[in-house]
Amino acid sequence: MDSVITSEEIIIVGAGISGLATALALHRKGIRSVVLERSESLRAVGAGIAVLTNGWAALDQLGVASKLRQTALPIKGALDVWLDTGKQQQVPVSIGETRCLKRSDLISTLASELPTGTIRFSSQLVSVNLDKNTSLPIIQLHDGTTIKAKVLIGCDGVNSVISNFLALTPTKIFSSWAVRGFTHYPHGHGFSPLLVRLRKGNIMSGRAPINDNLVFWFVVQGKSPDFSADTWKDPDMIRRMVLETIKDFPKERTETVMNCDLASLSLTHLRYRAPWDIYFSEFRKGNVTVAGDAMHVMGPFLGQGGSAAMEDAIVLARCLASKIESRNLIGEGLDEYVKERRMRLLKLSTQTFVIGSLLDSSSLLIKILLVIIMIVFFRNPTSHTRYYCGKL
């Protein structure tokens, strides 16, 4: 395999939400980038994604919010129901706008706004090094191509090659697992515009409408999975496992799972980067940094993963825009980005860590301590949606 050496201004690794949002934010600032995606086409694993008020602010800056609003209904709040006691509580999910989008709609919309040729498919990253003379990143692809870049941004998810290059502490795993999927109702579902979460023991079943005919649902169980390795890749086995898990839930929930779109199902361990790692990690080395899940993967308990990734994109593009023309100032711009994001991400990761630990723990004492932490530090359930990423 012959080696090909090329040069690019900015390389972004990963064409998920984070990578595409970052490329689009840079494009809006008049800065060209190249997105390397190892797959042969765009992928959207995970069915639906919540976008909260802070996420819509980022999408407005990216110039795609109006288009995406047409694809999903607004969510008016959340209804929590504890099946063991019959208790019900309606709570807000955000200080303003909340919608549940199809991931494929979000990803395709972001990609459609990029200049032709921005995304290079079948481009699998193998290694990263810094040039001994210039300290600029040099990346090696699986096909033998070598690319020299002025800036390298890792948006390559949980199993990030760039995170490994930065020597970030490996992500951790909650004992919980989650299944997500879609169910289509040809004649309309008739559900209220609420996120409805039913809880029984350590199991939570959630449902939110995307439009009048499509529903996004999820099931989370707070214990280590005991299913076989084959289950991960077999949608029918995933469905049967979920049906067994929620067999004591209302019939409406089991019917939603029974009639789901099998192709939409995803089964995942819930991973997170610990709050103390967010606080102490060095997220820049030379002109290399990370964003999105590669930087701050968190549990889904606040619905902030996607919105936080889009915040990253706005802040990163803004910090780089005034520095990119001077090689000596790029590191300063990346440091500004990391500094601006760190405390925001620390708060989000801490809150999701506490909620996830509540679901995981079987100790009454630990649960009481975690509840006290929630009451003291996170009394306002929507405060995390008040953050504003600022203008591009």
Side-chain angles (χ1 to χ4, degrees):
M1 190 178 298
D2 295 332
S3 177
V4 177
I5 301 177
T6 63
S7 297
E8 299 290 349
E9 285 281 294
I10 299 178
I11 291 290
I12 298 169
V13 181
I17 294 170
S18 176
L20 296 175
T22 301
L24 183 53
L26 291 167
H27 174 59
R28 298 297 192 218
K29 298 295 286 184
I31 302 171
R32 181 181 179 276
S33 65
V34 172
V35 181
L36 303 179
E37 170 55 42
R38 67 178 184 176
S39 301
E40 297 178 356
S41 61
L42 293 174
R43 298 185 301 166
V45 178
I49 182 168
V51 180
L52 307 179
T53 307
N54 51 296
W56 286 105
L59 288 171
D60 278 325
Q61 291 300 310
L62 292 172
V64 296
S66 296
K67 185 183 296 185
L68 287 166
R69 286 186 177 102
Q70 299 174 28
T71 69
L73 299 169
I75 302 297
K76 301 299 186 181
L79 176 64
D80 288 312
V81 180
W82 287 263
L83 297 177
D84 292 326
T85 64
K87 178 185 175 182
Q88 297 189 17
Q89 182 180 18
Q90 189 161 339
V91 296
V93 291
S94 182
I95 61 167
E97 183 177 10
T98 299
R99 298 172 195 260
C100 185
L101 300 178
K102 293 174 64 177
R103 281 180 180 265
S104 57
D105 285 345
L106 177 54
I107 285 176
S108 62
T109 298
L110 292 171
S112 69
E113 296 289 318
L114 292 171
T116 302
T118 298
I119 308 172
R120 298 182 185 175
F121 296 105
S122 302
S123 299
Q124 183 174 351
L125 179 65
V126 175
S127 64
V128 181
N129 292 288
L130 296 181
D131 186 280
K132 293 180 180 179
N133 298 318
T134 65
S135 295
L136 296 180
I138 301 174
I139 66 173
Q140 188 80 28
L141 302 185
H142 187 264
D143 64 1
T145 300
T146 298
I147 304 178
K148 298 180 178 180
K150 188 180 287 186
V151 181
L152 176 61
I153 305 168
C155 300
D156 46 343
V158 176
N159 301 309
S160 170
V161 175
I162 309 300
S163 293
N164 290 339
F165 168 76
L166 295 174
L168 299 184
T169 304
T171 58
K172 297 174 174 58
I173 303 177
F174 287 114
S175 63
S176 308
W177 55 263
V179 174
R180 304 171 177 91
F182 288 137
T183 300
H184 185 258
Y185 293 80
H187 305 294
H189 50 68
F191 297 137
S192 60
L194 297 172
L195 167 61
V196 181
R197 296 175 292 213
L198 307 184
R199 305 167 189 267
K200 186 177 179 63
N202 64 353
I203 303 169
M204 179 168 61
S205 168
R207 182 200 70 211
I210 290 182
N211 55 43
D212 291 331
N213 300 97
L214 188 65
V215 166
F216 169 65
W217 58 266
F218 59 88
V219 172
V220 179
Q221 184 168 22
K223 71 170 188 177
S224 299
D226 55 5
F227 39 80
S228 69
D230 294 334
T231 303
W232 293 91
K233 297 182 180 180
D234 188 328
D236 189 58
M237 290 181 68
I238 293 174
R239 178 172 62 179
R240 282 189 273 124
M241 181 198 69
V242 173
L243 288 171
E244 176 62 24
T245 301
I246 63 170
K247 63 184 178 182
D248 296 325
F249 279 59
K251 183 179 179 182
E252 165 259 309
R253 287 302 167 99
T254 58
E255 288 181 345
T256 295
V257 175
M258 177 62 71
N259 298 321
C260 72
D261 174 8
L262 286 176
S264 72
L265 294 185
S266 65
L267 167 62
T268 56
H269 282 299
L270 299 184
R271 288 183 173 270
Y272 66 98
R273 192 172 298 285
W276 47 91
D277 291 331
I278 294 288
Y279 186 76
F280 290 110
S281 291
E282 295 292 336
F283 290 115
R284 178 181 80 87
K285 183 177 181 181
N287 288 356
V288 181
T289 192
V290 283
D293 281 354
M295 185 183 199
H296 52 71
V297 63
M298 62 187 76
F301 312 110
L302 296 179
Q304 281 284 15
S307 294
M310 292 183 288
E311 292 173 3
D312 293 343
I314 301 299
V315 176
L316 180 51
R318 183 173 64 238
C319 291
L320 271 180
S322 61
K323 314 288 186 182
I324 193 66
E325 296 303 323
S326 173
R327 180 182 296 179
N328 295 329
L329 294 179
I330 291 175
E332 182 180 313
L334 295 178
D335 284 340
E336 290 176 3
Y337 156 69
V338 171
K339 181 180 179 181
E340 184 170 341
R341 294 303 291 154
R342 191 183 301 275
M343 294 312 296
R344 163 64 169 168
L345 297 173
L346 177 63
K347 293 176 182 178
L348 287 177
S349 64
T350 301
Q351 192 169 355
T352 55
F353 172 73
V354 172
I355 297 172
S357 298
L358 267 171
L359 188 64
D360 267 13
S361 179
S362 58
S363 166
L364 179 59
L365 178 59
I366 292 177
K367 284 181 178 289
I368 291 173
L369 290 173
L370 292 170
V371 169
I372 292 172
I373 291 173
M374 287 296 297
I375 292 172
V376 172
F377 295 102
F378 306 109
R379 181 183 296 272
N380 186 335
T382 63
S383 61
H384 59 90
T385 70
R386 295 179 181 274
Y387 177 88
Y388 177 51
C389 60
K391 295 184 177 181
L392 269 174

